Amino acid sequence: MPLARWTAFALWLAAVAWAASARDGGEARDVAGTVLLVYEREEGGNRDLYVVPATGGPPRRLTTHPATDGLPRWTADGSAVVFTSNRTGNWQLWKVPAEGGEPSPVRTNAHTEWQADESPDGRTLAFLSNQDGPEALWLLERGTGAPRALVRHGRRSILGNPDWSRDGRRLVFSSNWRSGHQIYVVDAAGGGERRLSPVGGCEPRFSPDGKRVAYVGRRPRRERSQILEHDPATGQERVLVDWPALNYDPVYSPDGSEIAFASTIGGRGYEIYRLRLADGKSWRVTFEGGDARYPDYRPPRR
């Protein structure tokens, strides 16, 4: 068998083995109580939001609009989900109650605004907007409605996935400013960002204790990606997920014991998986078909 064909066959066998182990890992009891995951899923060409118990079970559809709804994040108190939708003709931020109902716009304008994350105290929303030209990272004070730009990079820069530390002092995000997509951390009070990723990455998320950052590392033109964990204090990194597939969208559980993420390991598009950090044991969460992406754990109710 030619080497290229043998390599492809070996990767396929590894993918089947990984998918089976994730599917048959048994019922997980490492997350106390019923912890919910919100995620986006494509069905019949339409993308909507769904909620499912982290330990598995029937999903509940949260939005039903024929437009695209995606990139969900729970609000700090777990009462609602902020998401991005083009239901008005351009990408804007919306909010829907956790139990379902009619979504409402966060604010309405003619700009492209998306990829939002609410601060732990619920007072400030971080999001991306092109309201004054180039895409930038903005903060919106929920009480006054006053926005301010926190990070501006070059005119053609593409930013992504802002995420708050639990103490509300820092944000991580990605940007292709200067040297391809990299991970940065910035002080929420006054800027002064610094680069974290040594090679490149996207989709960063803080751990609950703020001492680690999980992110996606991928070299160009490779149909495989890793999920890495970075220690901002030391610069040390470790690999959390190295499945022979595209592995994206990592997020820590509220207690920091595991991550959820999306992977193509099953060979039929993206599905949501969980991985316990202590021993690497994994469980598949979604089984409905159609790409399932961008999971987010519901925070503990206040």
Side-chain angles (χ1 to χ4, degrees), residues 78-298:
S79 67
V81 173
V82 177
F83 65 99
T84 303
S85 178
N86 64 350
R87 59 181 63 200
T88 60
N90 65 313
W91 297 105
Q92 295 272 271
L93 298 174
W94 293 73
K95 183 177 178 180
V96 62
E99 305 309 318
E102 189 63 26
S104 58
V106 173
R107 66 178 194 156
T108 303
N109 53 52
H111 314 305
T112 296
E113 299 190 339
W114 63 333
Q115 297 194 31
D117 189 47
E118 190 173 79
S119 62
D121 62 9
R123 297 177 180 177
T124 310
L125 192 70
F127 64 101
L128 304 181
S129 175
N130 65 351
Q131 77 168 57
D132 63 354
E135 184 173 78
L137 173 56
W138 289 73
L139 301 181
L140 178 70
E141 299 301 326
R142 304 303 293 272
T144 64
R148 66 180 175 96
L150 180 64
V151 174
R152 301 178 191 269
H153 282 172
R155 183 169 60 88
R156 297 182 180 179
S157 293
I158 299 172
L159 282 71
N161 307 96
D163 183 66
W164 290 89
S165 61
R166 185 167 289 184
D167 61 11
R169 296 179 179 179
R170 297 168 294 160
L171 291 112
V172 285
F173 65 98
S174 68
S175 173
N176 68 345
W177 184 49
R178 293 181 175 173
S179 58
H181 267 285
Q182 303 287 346
I183 307 302
Y184 295 85
V185 61
V186 62
D187 186 340
E193 73 266 17
R194 66 182 178 95
R195 176 175 152 180
L196 294 182
S197 53
V199 177
C202 61
E203 300 185 351
R205 299 294 291 262
F206 270 114
S207 63
D209 62 9
K211 296 181 179 180
R212 296 159 291 157
V213 175
Y215 72 94
V216 175
R218 182 186 177 194
R219 294 179 179 177
R221 296 180 296 277
R222 288 187 61 187
E223 292 303 308
R224 182 169 181 165
S225 58
Q226 295 178 321
I227 296 178
L228 307 172
E229 187 177 65
H230 182 92
D231 183 336
T234 66
Q236 294 183 340
E237 295 195 334
R238 66 167 176 155
V239 177
L240 299 182
V241 178
D242 192 22
W243 295 356
L246 293 175
N247 308 291
Y248 275 87
D249 319 324
V251 57
Y252 289 93
S253 62
D255 64 1
S257 66
E258 65 178 44
I259 60 170
F261 60 99
S263 177
T264 60
I265 191 67
R268 296 183 179 181
Y270 286 95
E271 296 289 354
I272 306 299
Y273 294 82
R274 297 167 44 228
L275 182 136
R276 190 163 57 200
L277 298 180
D279 57 11
K281 190 172 184 179
S282 60
W283 297 268
R284 182 172 166 178
V285 178
T286 61
F287 294 87
E288 288 69 44
D291 282 342
R293 296 286 306 269
Y294 302 106
D296 195 41
Y297 287 90
R298 188 180 195 175

Side-chain angles (χ1 to χ4, degrees), residues 63-82:
T63 64
T64 59
H65 198 279
T68 296
D69 297 337
L71 300 168
R73 294 283 182 96
W74 290 102
T75 56
D77 62 3
S79 67
V81 173
V82 177

